């Protein structure tokens, strides 16, 4: 279970990092590269979401998952990454609009 949790944390952290990179890159005027970083973010979030979905499917099948602080922490990382991704998309769009 710890390996699964660490996958959630690592993939979510990677996604958050790519989203923040996208903002910085867009701020410097390279919108195309920023959008590439957002795609990388989506890929990492997809990996994390897949792990989360497997946990949910197992739970639905009756295989209960012990919820501990580490799992809660991993879920927090995922939700934070998703929020940052949404904000990063808005920032990239805004920087693109203002650069025209």
């Amino acid at each position: 279970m710890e390996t699964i949790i660490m996958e959630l944390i690592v993939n979510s952290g990677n996604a958050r990092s790519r989203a923040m990179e996208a903002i910085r890159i867009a701020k410097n005027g390279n919108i195309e590269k920023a959008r590439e970083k957002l795609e990388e973010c989506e890929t990492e979030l997809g990996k994390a979401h897949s792990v989360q979905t497997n946990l949910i499917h197992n739970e639905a099948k009756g295989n209960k998952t012990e919820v501990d602080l580490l799992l809660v922490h991993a879920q927090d990382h995922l939700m934070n990454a998703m929020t940052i991704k949404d904000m990063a998309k808005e920032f990239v769009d805004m920087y693109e609009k203002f650069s025209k």
Side-chain angles (χ1 to χ4, degrees):
M1 186 55 148
E2 288 177 359
T3 301
I4 292 168
I5 291 170
M6 292 312 293
E7 281 184 62
L8 265 175
I9 292 171
V10 168
N11 293 325
S12 298
N14 288 343
R16 184 187 180 285
S17 293
R18 296 310 172 275
M20 293 303 296
E21 286 176 46
I23 294 171
R24 283 189 290 275
I25 291 167
K27 185 177 181 180
N28 289 326
N30 192 342
I31 302 303
E32 184 177 322
K33 182 71 173 173
R35 294 212 185 277
E36 289 174 16
K37 289 296 177 181
L38 287 175
E39 286 298 320
E40 292 174 20
C41 172
E42 289 285 354
T43 299
E44 292 296 325
L45 275 178
K47 293 175 189 176
H49 192 257
S50 178
V51 171
Q52 181 190 47
T53 300
N54 287 336
L55 287 171
I56 292 168
H57 283 165
N58 281 334
E59 189 90 13
K61 292 177 186 175
N63 302 323
K64 297 294 180 190
T65 301
E66 181 181 334
V67 177
D68 60 9
L69 187 56
L70 194 55
L71 181 56
V72 171
H73 180 68
Q75 285 294 122
D76 186 47
H77 269 271
L78 177 56
M79 298 310 296
N80 183 37
M82 292 169 72
T83 301
I84 296 295
K85 177 206 67 167
D86 291 342
M87 289 178 56
K89 284 182 177 181
E90 293 297 322
F91 272 93
V92 171
D93 289 345
M94 180 185 66
Y95 282 121
E96 181 177 37
K97 181 178 180 179
F98 290 139
S99 71
K100 292 181 180 180

